[in-house]
Every structure is written in C-alpha cells, then in structure tokens.
Amino acid sequence: MTQGPGASGNLYGTVEPRVPLAGARVVLAGLGVTGRSLQRVLEPRVATLVTVDDKADDADHSGLDDTAAAAVLAQTDLLVASPGFAPHHPVVAAALAAGVPVWSEVELAWRLRVDRAGSDKPAPWLGITGSNGKTTTVEMLAAILRAAGLRTAAVGNVGRSLVEAALDPALDVVAVELSSFQLHFTHTMSLEAGAVLNVSPDHLDWHGSVDAYTRDKGRVYGGVRVACVYNVADPTTEDLVREADVVEGARAVGFAVGAPRPGDLGLVDDVLVDRAFHAADDDPDRRKSAAELGTLADLKQLGDQNGVVPTHIVADALAAAALARAHGVPAAAVRDGLRSFGPSEHRIQRVATADDVTYVNDSKATNAHSAAASLAGLAHGTVVWIAGGLAKGATFDELVTSRADRLRAAVVIGADPGPLADTLARHAPQIPVVVIDPGDTESVMRRAVAAARDLAQPGDTVLLAPAGASQDQFVSYAQRGEEFARVVRELTT
C-alpha cells in the first residue's frame, strides 16, 4: 500500500463539474430504480437536469446515436451515469470525449455526504465489493453493526438507495455494497474500511477485459482510512491492496477459512478468531493473542440440510467481522450479529422438499464462480442443475470441469442456451442435458422445474444456480428466483 495524506482518497484525479453543483447543467443517464432515486435527489440541487433513457417514456432523450449524444453533452457540466451505462455507451463516450466529468451514483452520494449541511459528522462508510458474496456480506455486516447498538443501513443493491442514506443524519455508520460498475466512475470516496471478497472474470462485456474489471474492483481501497480487508485465498485481492493509495495509518487485514496469521482473521477448529484488531495488555503487537468472535454454530442457520456451513459463507462472515472490527465493534457483537442473520433472499434458499428431493433457489449465482461455489456448498447428494442466462462475456469451461462430479443432470435455460449446453457436451458428455426451448410460449421456469423434477432421484437436490444474468428472460435475478420458488411449490404440493 502507498500511504500518504489521502485527504480525498482519490487515485484517479478529482473530477469536478465545470461549475458548482448548485449551478450545474446535469445529464442523468438511466431512469431505472437507481436512476429514479438519483433524479429525486438531483432535481432540487442542480440548475437543470436532463434525463436520458432508452426505455422510460418520460425521459427527455432516448435512442441517442453518437452525433445526438455529442450535441446533448455539449451543453452539459456533469454526467451522472447509472450502472447500466458502460463507458462505451454513446452518451458516456460523448461525455468523456468532450471532457465532461462523469460521476457514478457512489460518487454523487459521497459528494452529498461530504457537503451535507449541519454540524453532525457524516456517518462513515464500510464498503464491500467482489465478484461473489457482496450482498450476503453487506447484510451480515449490517446485522453485526445493529447488534452493537449502532444505527445503520445496508445499501447498494439491497435496501434503500445509497444517495438517500448519504443524506440521512440518523445513521451512525453505513454498510455499502459496491459493484464494479459503480466503482468505475467513483473518484473521491474515502471509506473507513473496504473489502474485496474475491475476483473472478465477470461483466467483461461492460469493462472490456479482466484487467479493467479487476482495476475497478480495486478502487474500493483508494483513500481507505483504517483497514483494507482482503481474501488470503485470492492473491488478486492482496495485489490490489498493495497497489492502493490509502490514508496514512491504514493497514492490510486478511481473512482466511483457516488458521489466521498475525494481523488477520480466520478459523481455528470451529472458532472464528481475530488476530488483527485484538491486543492483550501484555501483547500489544497481537502476535500471541486472539479474540474469539463466534463459532460455526452461530452460522448454523446458513448451513445445508445437514447443518454444514459452506466455506464461502464462513469467508463472508470473516470479511464482515473484519470490517465491523475496523469500526471498533466489540467481539460479542460479531457473535450476536451472526447469530441473528438469516439467509439472503435468492441465495441458497431451500424452497421445498418433495419425494426426498430438495429444491434450492440460488438465483443470485449470476456468474460461473458463484455457481461453482453454490454447487460445492451442497455437501451431500447429487444435483440436478438448472442454469443459463446472459453470460456477460464469460465462459463456463472451468465451472463444468470442476463441478461435473456433483451433477446427475442439467437443465439449461436462457435466450441463448447454446454456450452452456455446448460446454456441458464437451466436458461432461455423460451428464444428461435438457435444453429448454426459449421460443416456446409456455413458462420457461415451469418447463425447467418440471424437467428437473423428472430427472431427480431420491436424495438429490434440484438447484437453480444460473451462472448468468437474468435479463434475457426475466426482469431481475429476484424475479427469476421468485418464479422458481412459485413453480416449485405448485409442482410439489
């Protein structure tokens, strides 16, 4: 890590609008859920607000080509871009070409937080990014903070919007889920502590390359003031910490599902321990002491049907604990928060058991790495795997070769099921595969679940872990998971 004054936590150059925000002509790109929240916050705070969205009927502009986008941006002081607007989108590309500053939702929220009127000190942020596990970890973190008696909110892709939380004077601390999209155009954020849980190829259609995607994940560490939390099992995350420009005094803290080194958190037998933020009176350098944070029994509600807690859940708990401890939360609150935490919606949720077959919803497994963890986390029995969706530029070869031994069969959904079906045929030809015709008008999920039910045998698990995004056939991963759960209940009762 490079340590310095870190006043703004800015690795990439301060990006200011051409005039103060109150006098700025602002273009807002995107009117989805995030965009609507940004619109409500921006309208009373800027001189003019122009909206761009290809789908919203009330947008000021839609379907802009390069020339039209350049004309709109010529009269603009600032572009605020929703996560769906990649750097190569005509509106964003026109702004960058014209030298118009581009801010993410996160950058806007941070600026509003810093500039908020009043004498109250703004709530610090604890931030989490990674290819997988972000939502689970941020919600675990919020549960731990609440157990410590703190007023908090889990924000980002969960709960309330980040910009609204940034303006809330009632919060003591904010747990923030940060995507690579959001981080790309974030310039001045300075977290109290930040974590990268893991990095695996994802969203390459948005970022353009694995290196660009990884660099954007690493932005979470820029300007960190207390601790950069990283995954000892993922060397890429440690490399990102080494490259980070942090505030003087910030330090690196690793987490590992195994015995921790001095300065890290980890697992000893079935006990979660802290060797980073704990120091006994006779051991101020932390080399011999450790604080007990909880046990695997405190996570039993997140285990499989046999009570076995998956390794990736333990890792998420350790990361959440590290961030909470960086904020000064006592060890007992970590234990109490983990005990109170329930499974996230659409993340390894047991929906039903019928004819000795268990149906599990992991619709949040939107990439290959997450789907591999989901398959590995089912400790017993074989799996009938329902998978498919938008690949986002990723491939499935490693996923299939590493998890084929868990599969009894596969049911492939998606508007373009070919890539996954072809990968299964190449690397696991012994596995029966049913491809759900995307052109059939009957419910995709109903046909998929019915096919999986017919393929399953007693003791099996039917697992929805798509390894792809949902928007080719569903509105969101949540809608995909809800449809799976609804159909399972209909077909098994």
Side-chain angles (χ1 to χ4, degrees):
M1 297 187 295
T2 302
Q3 298 197 343
S8 68
N10 182 15
L11 279 169
Y12 308 98
T14 301
V15 179
E16 303 285 355
R18 291 169 177 163
V19 297
L21 195 60
R25 301 165 298 177
V26 178
V27 170
L28 172 61
L31 287 177
V33 175
T34 296
R36 294 295 182 184
S37 178
L38 294 172
Q39 183 181 27
R40 289 192 297 271
V41 169
L42 282 168
E43 280 180 337
R45 289 178 168 82
V46 301
T48 62
L49 184 66
V50 174
T51 57
V52 177
D53 192 287
D54 294 339
K55 298 179 181 178
D57 294 337
D58 59 338
D60 296 313
H61 298 282
S62 64
L64 296 177
D65 58 18
D66 293 343
T67 301
V72 170
L73 270 299
Q75 304 299 317
T76 298
D77 300 304
L78 173 68
L79 173 67
V80 178
S82 296
F85 282 71
H88 55 266
H89 188 282
V91 172
V92 180
L96 296 173
V100 174
V102 182
W103 290 3
S104 66
E105 170 200 12
V106 177
E107 180 67 15
L108 175 63
W110 184 259
R111 302 290 187 115
L112 294 174
R113 171 197 177 276
V114 171
D115 296 340
R116 193 177 73 208
S119 59
D120 291 340
K121 183 179 179 181
W125 290 6
L126 303 171
I128 298 163
T129 193
S131 300
N132 303 291
K134 295 186 295 296
T135 300
T136 297
T137 307
V138 79
E139 290 178 336
M140 278 184 175
L141 174 59
I144 293 169
L145 296 170
R146 284 192 291 269
L150 297 168
R151 298 170 298 176
T152 190
V155 302
N157 292 329
V158 294
R160 62 198 296 191
S161 76
L162 180 53
V163 287
E164 291 170 352
L167 294 168
D168 186 349
L171 296 178
D172 297 315
V173 58
V174 184
V176 187
E177 178 181 342
L178 296 161
S179 72
S180 55
F181 306 147
Q182 294 169 315
L183 288 165
H184 183 83
F185 290 117
T186 296
H187 315 285
T188 62
M189 180 181 70
S190 181
L191 298 173
E192 182 174 47
V196 180
L197 303 177
N198 43 62
V199 179
S200 60
D202 200 6
H203 303 299
L204 303 188
D205 52 343
W206 200 99
H207 293 276
S209 71
V210 173
D211 287 345
Y213 170 69
T214 302
R215 285 196 303 273
D216 282 338
K217 288 294 187 190
R219 287 175 179 257
V220 77
Y221 293 135
V224 158
R225 293 180 285 111
V226 175
C228 296
V229 177
Y230 68 94
N231 185 348
V232 173
D234 187 339
T236 299
T237 66
E238 187 171 6
D239 291 342
L240 292 174
V241 173
R242 289 197 181 99
E243 296 164 4
D245 183 6
V246 301
V247 172
E248 186 74 35
R251 58 196 181 94
V253 176
F255 65 90
V257 184
R261 305 167 301 188
D264 291 351
L265 281 73
L267 184 70
V268 177
D269 296 326
D270 66 343
V271 180
L272 283 68
V273 298
D274 170 14
R275 298 188 69 188
F277 300 101
H278 174 68
D281 292 339
D282 60 348
D283 182 28
D285 64 1
R286 305 178 183 88
R287 292 185 181 180
K288 298 178 182 177
S289 61
E292 180 176 330
L293 303 176
T295 70
L296 294 183
D298 298 317
L299 295 167
K300 63 182 179 181
Q301 71 279 15
L302 304 174
D304 64 14
Q305 56 267 42
N306 297 291
V308 177
V309 182
T311 299
H312 66 275
I313 295 293
V314 180
D316 292 345
L318 289 166
L323 292 168
R325 295 285 278 167
H327 186 64
V329 166
V334 175
R335 178 201 62 208
D336 294 344
L338 294 178
R339 284 179 180 174
S340 70
F341 177 72
S344 301
E345 280 197 302
H346 313 297
R347 188 72 177 117
I348 318 181
Q349 283 186 306
R350 291 193 293 275
V351 176
T353 299
D355 300 322
D356 200 23
V357 174
T358 301
Y359 294 79
V360 175
N361 169 21
D362 195 7
S363 185
K364 264 190 72 65
T366 58
N367 58 47
H369 187 276
S370 185
S374 186
L375 286 163
L378 299 173
H380 301 281
T382 50
V383 177
V384 178
W385 181 33
I386 301 177
L390 290 172
K392 302 171 287 184
T395 60
F396 304 106
D397 298 79
E398 183 177 353
L399 166 61
V400 171
T401 55
S402 65
R403 296 293 183 261
D405 62 324
R406 304 305 314 275
L407 302 180
R408 181 178 301 283
V411 179
V412 180
I413 60 175
D416 181 13
L420 181 54
D422 292 346
T423 303
L424 285 160
R426 288 198 311 274
H427 297 298
Q430 74 281 10
I431 303 298
V433 176
V434 174
V435 176
I436 303 301
D437 181 1
D440 196 316
T441 57
E442 186 185 354
S443 162
V444 168
M445 195 57 74
R446 177 173 289 276
R447 286 178 284 137
V449 172
R453 179 193 57 187
D454 292 343
L455 289 163
Q457 296 183 17
D460 284 350
T461 297
V462 171
L463 172 67
L464 173 67
S470 58
Q471 289 84 354
D472 57 339
Q473 292 182 309
F474 303 91
V475 173
S476 64
Y477 76 80
Q479 195 247 346
R480 177 173 61 189
E482 289 161 1
E483 180 72 1
F484 172 80
R486 183 186 65 80
V487 170
V488 164
R489 293 184 181 109
E490 287 181 359
L491 295 180
T492 58
T493 57

